[in-house]
Structures are given as structure tokens and as C-alpha cells.
Amino acid sequence: MRVFLQSDFLNIKKITPLIIFGANCITVDDKEQGQKIGTFEGNSIVFDGEVYNYMQLADYLVSKYSAQFCTGAIAEILACGLTKEGVNFLGKIDGPFSLCFFNSEQGNLLVARDLIGMKCPYVYKGGDSFIVSSDIASIAHYSKLSLNRNYLYRVSFLDQFSGFENTETVFEEIKTPALGGYLMISENGNEIKMGRYE
């Protein structure tokens, strides 16, 4: 299993023998707030996007759970929230995001996206490969893809405006969670659960 949310990633972390996280590590205002990979209590996260209320989330986690942060980076705050509250924490995040969170105790991976759908995680499963990326080109680099003709024949952008939930993509092997949705995936790449957190 390979899991990454950036195609030109510079920061790589091996989570388990099967799971690798990679992302660009961006510095914002000379702080580590732009760090896209984080851990909390042995659980790991990689995310793409922005979290406008990360300071409020940090205060909430400190007051409710007495959480102690090593870096205070957004990734660490999100990892803490997902460790403490699971899928329920996703509804508290304000901003466009896509993320992958690996819960080491449960041995599963959570893939989620924001309510508006500005950030989109693409999920590929084929053969013995499982890849999550914010970029289809990253998946195409590692895998052979075939066009989804049904998707191409339909005017897909109208689906979004008509309220139709579309988890398909232009490639048959790639899907994405619904808006405000998530996928729970086992460590070996089998889907456990799909749902909405809103």
C-alpha cells in the first residue's frame, strides 16, 4: 500500500511496512504550520488543504482531553482530534481539505474530504496496489488506468450542480469519497466502511 497526497512530495514517512505517507512540507510564516505529515500517540496523518480554525481546534483538544502537542502543527492537531474522536472530529474542521489518517491501534486508514469538495482524494485499487493521492497523475505514474466511458458520456460537472453525488472519476480504477464523506480502509486495502460525517 502506498498512500500520498502530493505527486512532488519531499517529505516521506514510513508508517508501517505496507504504508508510506509522503507530502510537500511547506513553511508558513517561518513556522511548521504548513507541515502536511503529523503523528499523535502513534497514529499518523497526511493532509492536503487548509484548516482555518486549527488554533480553536487545538484549544478545544487541550481543554477537553488535556492534549499535549509537541509541535502544534496543523497535522499534529488533526491527528490528535482524529485519535480522540474518530470520524466525528471531521465535522469540526473548517476549510478545504483531503486527508488520510492511519489508526495504528485499529489498523485502518481513514480517507476523507471536505464538505464543498475543493480538495479531492483519489483512491486507486488494482491488483496488489492501493494508492491514495490528491493528484491522478501520481496514480497514473504507478499504475495502468483505463477510461471510464460511462463517466465520459455523461456531463459530469452538471452532476455536482444537480446535487447528484458522484464518486466516479474519468478512470475506472479510481474513485473518490462523496462530498463530506469518508472511506475506512483496512491495512491490506480492503474497504471497511463508507459514510458521511456531516
Side-chain angles (χ1 to χ4, degrees):
M1 178 185 293
R2 290 170 289 207
V3 179
F4 48 91
L5 285 176
Q6 296 289 333
S7 58
D8 53 345
F9 51 85
L10 303 172
N11 187 10
I12 298 174
K13 181 173 182 172
K14 191 169 189 175
I15 307 302
T16 73
L18 295 175
I19 299 176
I20 298 170
F21 279 0
N24 282 332
C25 187
I26 302 167
T27 303
V28 177
D29 298 330
D30 295 325
K31 297 178 183 175
E32 290 297 316
Q33 298 304 326
Q35 186 176 346
K36 300 296 186 181
I37 298 179
T39 59
F40 187 83
E41 294 181 357
N43 300 324
S44 302
I45 191 170
V46 59
F47 83 100
D48 183 22
E50 298 177 52
V51 179
Y52 303 134
N53 64 336
Y54 71 92
M55 293 300 291
Q56 291 87 352
L57 292 175
D59 292 342
Y60 165 76
L61 293 166
V62 168
S63 66
K64 184 164 184 179
Y65 299 104
S66 302
Q68 296 182 349
F69 301 109
C70 296
T71 65
I74 295 172
E76 183 183 22
I77 293 166
L78 294 179
C80 173
L82 291 167
T83 297
K84 299 297 185 185
E85 298 186 356
V87 173
N88 296 330
F89 185 75
L90 294 170
K92 295 178 172 71
I93 301 172
D94 180 17
F97 70 90
S98 63
L99 62 81
C100 291
F101 173 71
F102 180 70
N103 187 316
S104 58
E105 187 176 315
Q106 297 174 3
N108 58 39
L109 187 74
L110 173 70
V111 180
R113 70 187 292 196
D114 61 67
L115 290 165
I116 299 172
M118 293 182 69
K119 296 291 182 178
C120 183
Y122 297 102
V123 180
Y124 166 85
K125 185 175 180 188
D128 60 350
S129 293
F130 178 82
I131 301 172
V132 179
S133 177
S134 62
D135 174 80
I136 287 182
S138 303
I139 298 172
H141 179 76
Y142 291 103
S143 312
K144 184 175 174 154
L145 302 174
S146 50
L147 290 175
N148 182 346
R149 301 214 183 274
N150 292 332
Y151 182 87
L152 292 174
Y153 293 142
R154 204 171 55 236
V155 184
S156 61
F157 70 90
L158 288 178
D159 293 344
Q160 297 292 335
F161 296 112
S162 67
F164 178 72
E165 290 283 352
N166 191 3
T167 59
E168 291 181 86
T169 67
V170 70
F171 297 105
E172 288 182 6
E173 299 86 356
I174 299 175
K175 66 179 179 176
T176 184
L179 301 178
Y182 67 90
L183 292 170
M184 192 77 71
I185 301 158
S186 67
E187 193 172 349
N188 63 7
N190 293 324
E191 188 176 309
I192 300 171
K193 183 179 178 184
M194 178 188 292
R196 307 272 306 250
Y197 62 82
E198 60 171 329

